Amino acid sequence: MNREFIRAIEELEKEKGVTKEILIEAIELALVSAYKKNYGTSQNVRVNIDNEVGEIDVFMRKDVVETVVDELVEISIEDAMEIDRRYVVGDIIEYQVTPRDFGRIAAQTAKQVVVQRIREAERGMVFDDYINRQGEIVTGVVQRISNETVFINMGKAEGILAATEQVPGETYTVNNRIKVYIMDVRKTTKGPQIYLSRSHPGIVKKLFELEVPEIQDGSVEIKSISREAGSRTKIAVYTPDEDIDPVGACVGARGARVQNIVDELFGEKIDIITWSDDPETLISKVLSPAKVEKVVINEEERSAIAVVPDYQLSLAIGKEGQNVRLAAKLCGWKIDIKSHSQFFKDNVDEADEIEYIDEESE
């Protein structure tokens, strides 16, 4: 150990962000373990590294006692006073016992400890960086594909895009750049694990925030999103400013803004509607592109019947019920779709039945 070693430690401190004191402390502890292992002793030893010149000293430590039970770690008060009459019971005496060839062992151990500490520090910095970026979008490069899991290189770290978080129909090719949503960051024995998603509704929200300045500055607010990844997304937006058209702001001139998002999502359809605190108005809008004639609200069950023209019944329900399913999720209401003729026929039949019962009772 010498000044070059200390200078190397200082360079690592600047480059990797691991403090000199932490590294030297870790090396001292590792050298204690190395001493005991290489010199076959269980004695109480202490290693000291000079922070200025890098010199190493190994000290054996013994407790001053009345009666010695273990000579390896204890010394009698009589023997201690022969060294220095000021010693009393309870003091600790240290002998310098640095072996001649300890420098070689120290150098090997120091190298291992420094590498390990740097690795731990880098992992810690990666974790701290990405834990604060949960819920954000990052651009990465497809690094490798194992079975159905895609590993994304994000610069300082590698993210995991599991099969369950991929969009049906999307294909991923090595070296392709894609945007991904940071869903979760966890600490593991192998370092930080960053879990990514392409199917999370949050990725749509973040894409709109990137594309629409009015959402960035807060003048337009995203109230709710419902998504079936790879197929269709419904998004409800709101603004208290009467001079701003929230839907128009999201669509952009000639649909440019929303088209950029659709392209990023590989052609996924996006319905943008204006949020309303009135349930009837909101339910009428969320069933777009179908036109709703009437909405019957049941506040207690938080459910509603939406009446649509006969020829738009299938449009309102959507393929395999997708439109009404997304609409219900977007507004938080259970929605039952009925055609015009079906709804009014049922009501007429019900009215006739009530009238018939009244006549019988008379």
Side-chain angles (χ1 to χ4, degrees):
M1 291 287 188
N2 47 37
R3 290 185 182 275
E4 284 74 18
F5 170 76
I6 295 298
R7 281 198 291 270
I9 292 288
E10 290 170 348
E11 286 296 323
L12 286 170
E13 179 182 26
K14 294 175 185 176
E15 184 182 342
K16 302 294 185 179
V18 187
T19 64
K20 175 182 172 183
E21 289 73 21
I22 289 176
L23 284 172
I24 289 178
E25 183 183 350
I27 293 169
E28 287 175 349
L29 293 173
L31 289 176
V32 169
S33 177
Y35 177 87
K36 291 182 178 180
K37 179 180 177 182
N38 284 273
Y39 295 96
T41 179
S42 59
Q43 291 174 323
N44 189 15
V45 296
R46 176 178 70 87
V47 173
N48 180 66
I49 299 175
D50 189 307
N51 287 10
E52 299 299 324
V53 297
E55 292 296 328
I56 288 185
D57 292 308
V58 182
F59 296 94
M60 181 190 300
R61 309 180 72 187
K62 289 189 176 184
D63 297 325
V64 178
V65 295
E66 289 282 359
T67 306
V68 175
V69 177
D70 186 348
E71 291 184 355
L72 293 175
V73 294
E74 294 175 340
I75 184 173
S76 67
I77 182 64
E78 293 81 8
D79 291 341
M81 290 180 71
E82 287 181 8
I83 300 169
D84 191 325
R85 298 193 63 82
R86 290 174 294 181
Y87 280 121
V88 296
V89 173
D91 285 347
I92 295 174
I93 295 179
E94 289 190 333
Y95 303 89
Q96 186 171 346
V97 291
T98 312
R100 285 186 179 180
D101 63 342
F102 194 63
R104 176 181 56 81
I105 296 169
Q108 293 173 347
T109 304
K111 180 181 178 182
Q112 294 169 358
V113 171
V114 168
V115 169
Q116 183 181 351
R117 278 287 175 169
I118 289 172
R119 189 179 294 120
E120 289 174 0
E122 287 178 335
R123 287 174 175 177
M125 286 187 288
V126 168
F127 179 81
D128 293 340
D129 181 21
Y130 283 95
I131 194 68
N132 295 322
R133 297 175 69 183
Q134 272 186 275
E136 291 185 8
I137 284 181
V138 293
T139 301
V141 178
V142 177
Q143 185 166 323
R144 58 194 172 93
I145 301 171
S146 177
N147 295 328
E148 294 183 349
T149 304
V150 180
F151 294 89
I152 310 294
N153 182 1
M154 299 181 294
K156 292 182 179 179
E158 183 180 74
I160 300 169
L161 182 61
T164 53
E165 295 302 323
Q166 296 171 20
V167 175
E170 282 189 4
T171 56
Y172 308 98
T173 307
V174 174
N175 294 329
N176 275 12
R177 295 179 67 84
I178 59 169
K179 285 187 172 68
V180 285
Y181 179 81
I182 301 176
M183 190 173 59
D184 193 13
V185 183
R186 300 175 196 167
K187 270 186 178 177
T188 69
T189 53
K190 295 180 180 179
Q193 294 285 314
I194 303 166
Y195 296 93
L196 309 173
S197 178
R198 285 278 299 173
S199 61
H200 197 284
I203 194 171
V204 180
K205 181 180 179 181
K206 288 298 177 181
L207 286 171
F208 270 97
E209 288 177 1
L210 291 173
E211 286 290 338
V212 183
E214 289 84 353
I215 293 178
Q216 287 180 12
D217 63 26
S219 54
V220 173
E221 179 186 352
I222 296 173
K223 281 286 192 178
S224 181
I225 295 178
S226 61
R227 185 186 187 204
E228 291 190 2
S231 180
R232 194 179 210 97
T233 290
K234 284 183 181 285
I235 178 170
V237 292
Y238 170 79
T239 179
D241 191 336
E242 294 180 357
D243 296 329
I244 297 175
D245 173 14
V247 174
C250 294
V251 172
R254 298 181 181 178
R257 290 175 179 175
V258 73
Q259 189 58 49
N260 289 337
I261 297 169
V262 169
D263 292 343
E264 180 60 42
L265 299 175
F266 298 103
E268 186 173 312
K269 295 181 178 67
I270 298 177
D271 297 336
I272 307 171
I273 63 107
T274 304
W275 177 269
S276 174
D277 290 325
D278 174 46
E280 290 186 29
T281 305
L282 179 62
I283 291 168
S284 295
K285 290 180 177 180
V286 296
L287 286 169
S288 172
K291 304 297 181 185
V292 178
E293 294 180 347
K294 182 181 180 65
V295 177
V296 181
I297 296 292
N298 185 330
E299 292 279 358
E300 291 182 3
E301 296 182 4
R302 200 169 173 78
S303 64
I305 297 172
V307 182
V308 299
D310 291 9
Y311 67 93
Q312 288 204 338
L313 180 62
S314 60
L315 182 65
I317 295 171
K319 186 180 180 181
E320 297 177 353
Q322 184 188 66
N323 192 57
V324 68
R325 188 166 59 246
L326 287 171
K329 191 175 179 181
L330 187 71
C331 65
W333 285 73
K334 182 181 177 183
I335 302 174
D336 185 20
I337 306 289
K338 288 197 175 185
S339 66
H340 177 96
S341 57
Q342 183 185 6
F343 177 77
F344 286 103
K345 179 179 180 298
D346 290 345
N347 285 345
V348 168
D349 290 345
E350 187 178 336
D352 290 345
E353 186 179 341
I354 292 170
E355 187 178 346
Y356 176 73
I357 292 171
D358 286 345
E359 287 175 356
E360 271 195 345
S361 60
E362 286 174 5

